[in-house]
Amino acid sequence: MGSNQAAVSFLTNIARAAFGLGIGATVLNSSLYTVDGGQRAVLFDRFRGVIDDTVGEGTHFLVPWLQKPFIFDIRTRPHTFSSVSGTKDLQMVHLTLRVLSRPEVSRLPYIFKNLGLEYDEKVLPSIGNEVMKAVVAQFNADQLLTERPQVSALVRESLIRRAKDFNIVLDDVAITHLSYGAEFSKAVEQKQVAQQEAERSKFVVMKAEQERRAAIIRAEGESESAKLISDATAAAGMGLIELRRIEASREVASTLAKTPNVAYLPKQGNMLLALSPTR
């Protein structure tokens, strides 16, 4: 009987010890939290509110139930958003902007109190649209292409300055896509066709002008040649013309003499050269 009581007492002590160890382990586990690499923590205290100090990487203690950690990712993250903006000449332009952002570590408690954990999703799309509309309105539609580096630089400077008001650091800002509305695209196509037609008409006019000048020069040459011949005839008489006629006849005779299919007939006499006259 005594041995049974001792066994029951021993088991009861073991259960109590296990229960105490379980409670202790639970309390210890709830008193620890870990901040991974590339993260920071902000502590919320039920009595003091958000603590102004930021907790770095590693394992840290807190008071269970009284304090609660909120983890922020401080690594650079990409964000992409689109906007439809009006240009200076009242054309609609579709723009896509990509930014690389991260929070300002020293201002994480302020960010948590005013914006929460999803601070970037709340702030970046709104200020991005605001900046793009303000910048695009300063340029004509065609200038967005011809002066794209200047437009990108202006968007970058304005957006970095605007994000700084919300304690957000932008490492890079870039315009990744730019397209125009259907009406403007059609107008650009019509303008290109008109320019091609104008260039073609200009070429036709230049060609006609060159042909006119060539005809004038040719006519002036023929007139000068005729004048020279007339002067030579007046000075030497008809002998020059007769000389040219003899030279032309000589060239014709030389050409015909070299042709085997040409026969020469006397101007007068019997056509049948091989027959004697009938007696």
Side-chain angles (χ1 to χ4, degrees):
M1 186 68 180
S3 61
N4 291 336
Q5 290 179 350
V8 170
S9 177
F10 178 73
L11 293 176
T12 301
N13 291 333
I14 291 177
R16 289 175 179 175
F19 180 73
L21 289 174
I23 293 177
T26 301
V27 172
L28 180 62
N29 183 62
S30 61
S31 300
L32 297 175
Y33 66 97
T34 300
V35 180
D36 295 330
Q39 295 180 341
R40 293 293 185 272
V42 174
L43 280 180
F44 172 74
D45 189 283
R46 292 183 182 273
F47 295 142
R48 294 182 295 169
V50 178
I51 299 177
D52 293 335
D53 296 329
T54 302
V55 182
E57 301 169 359
T59 301
H60 306 275
F61 288 95
L62 56 76
V63 179
W65 183 83
L66 186 63
Q67 295 178 333
K68 181 179 180 181
F70 293 90
I71 307 298
F72 280 85
D73 187 352
I74 62 170
R75 291 168 292 193
T76 300
R77 295 190 296 174
H79 299 273
T80 302
F81 44 89
S82 300
S83 174
V84 179
S85 305
T87 61
K88 188 177 181 180
D89 53 354
L90 304 180
Q91 298 294 335
M92 302 307 297
V93 180
H94 300 265
L95 291 170
T96 300
L97 198 65
R98 179 190 59 81
V99 299
L100 299 178
S101 67
R102 55 185 173 85
E104 190 175 345
V105 176
S106 61
R107 300 291 291 170
L108 284 178
Y110 177 85
I111 293 175
F112 178 72
K113 285 189 291 186
N114 292 274
L115 299 174
L117 294 175
E118 301 298 330
Y119 63 94
D120 47 359
E121 298 298 333
K122 296 177 181 178
V123 173
L124 291 179
S126 59
I127 65 174
N129 284 317
E130 174 190 349
V131 168
M132 281 196 293
K133 291 181 183 297
V135 172
V136 170
Q138 302 177 25
F139 297 88
N140 292 330
D142 56 343
Q143 291 178 322
L144 296 179
L145 293 177
T146 58
E147 302 179 12
R148 183 162 180 170
Q150 180 181 352
V151 175
S152 298
L154 191 56
V155 170
R156 184 183 303 109
E157 294 173 1
S158 301
L159 193 56
I160 289 175
R161 184 171 58 252
R162 192 75 177 87
K164 191 175 181 180
D165 297 337
F166 297 90
N167 303 293
I168 299 175
V169 179
L170 300 183
D171 294 325
D172 184 59
V173 178
I175 298 175
T176 59
H177 179 71
L178 189 152
S179 63
Y180 297 97
E183 295 181 356
F184 183 77
S185 300
K186 185 177 180 180
V188 170
E189 182 179 357
Q190 292 175 349
K191 181 179 178 181
Q192 292 177 346
V193 172
Q195 289 178 344
Q196 292 176 357
E197 292 293 336
E199 291 294 330
R200 185 179 295 109
S201 301
K202 183 178 179 181
F203 173 76
V204 171
V205 171
M206 292 177 62
K207 182 179 179 181
E209 180 65 19
Q210 293 296 330
E211 291 178 350
R212 185 184 67 83
R213 291 182 180 180
I216 292 174
I217 294 173
R218 185 166 52 250
E220 289 177 351
E222 292 176 355
S223 175
E224 185 67 23
S225 176
K227 181 179 179 182
L228 292 175
I229 293 174
S230 177
D231 293 343
T233 302
M238 297 301 294
L240 179 61
I241 297 177
E242 190 66 26
L243 177 61
R244 293 289 185 264
R245 183 181 302 169
I246 294 173
E247 291 176 351
S249 300
R250 184 183 299 172
E251 291 179 1
V252 171
S254 176
T255 302
L256 293 177
K258 296 177 181 179
T259 304
N261 297 327
V262 176
Y264 296 94
L265 297 177
K267 186 175 181 181
Q268 295 178 351
N270 196 340
M271 296 294 293
L272 301 177
L273 299 178
L275 297 178
S276 298
T278 304
R279 294 182 180 179

